[in-house]
Amino acid sequence: MILLKTLLVVIAIIAIAFIGLGIRIWIKGRFPDTEVETNPHMKKMGIKCAKQEEWEAHCEHTGTDFGNCSSCCSSCGTH
């Protein structure tokens, strides 16, 4: 019986969380932007996409200029 009560409480908490997230998305009219290349707040903090960081490390290691790398990340819009 205690297991059933605990399960019901957990389900209720999860339901409240989902409803809260749904209301937030409904009020703002869109889902929060989590993509690095399109989120201005992440850019302000200096967070880069993984591909760009990898190419910067590769170009730094090989001694080539990052701006001249031939296969840099095109999805993040930096090159």
Side-chain angles (χ1 to χ4, degrees):
M1 191 63 170
I2 194 158
L3 179 65
L4 184 61
K5 287 181 182 179
T6 305
L7 185 62
L8 290 175
V9 169
V10 169
I11 289 173
I13 291 171
I14 292 173
I16 290 169
F18 271 99
I19 290 169
L21 290 171
I23 290 172
R24 180 175 176 220
I25 292 170
W26 180 66
I27 289 173
K28 289 192 171 197
R30 61 181 170 79
F31 194 78
D33 187 15
T34 58
E35 292 294 323
V36 177
E37 63 264 8
T38 58
N39 190 320
H41 301 293
M42 288 186 184
K43 287 183 180 181
K44 284 180 188 176
M45 294 188 318
I47 300 172
K48 301 174 185 175
C49 69
K51 288 181 182 179
Q52 182 182 359
E53 287 182 352
E54 193 66 35
W55 273 109
E56 286 176 355
H58 170 74
C59 292
E60 183 179 309
H61 178 70
T62 59
T64 57
D65 181 27
F66 179 64
N68 293 331
C69 285
S70 62
S71 299
C72 291
C73 178
S74 61
S75 65
C76 59
T78 57
H79 296 295

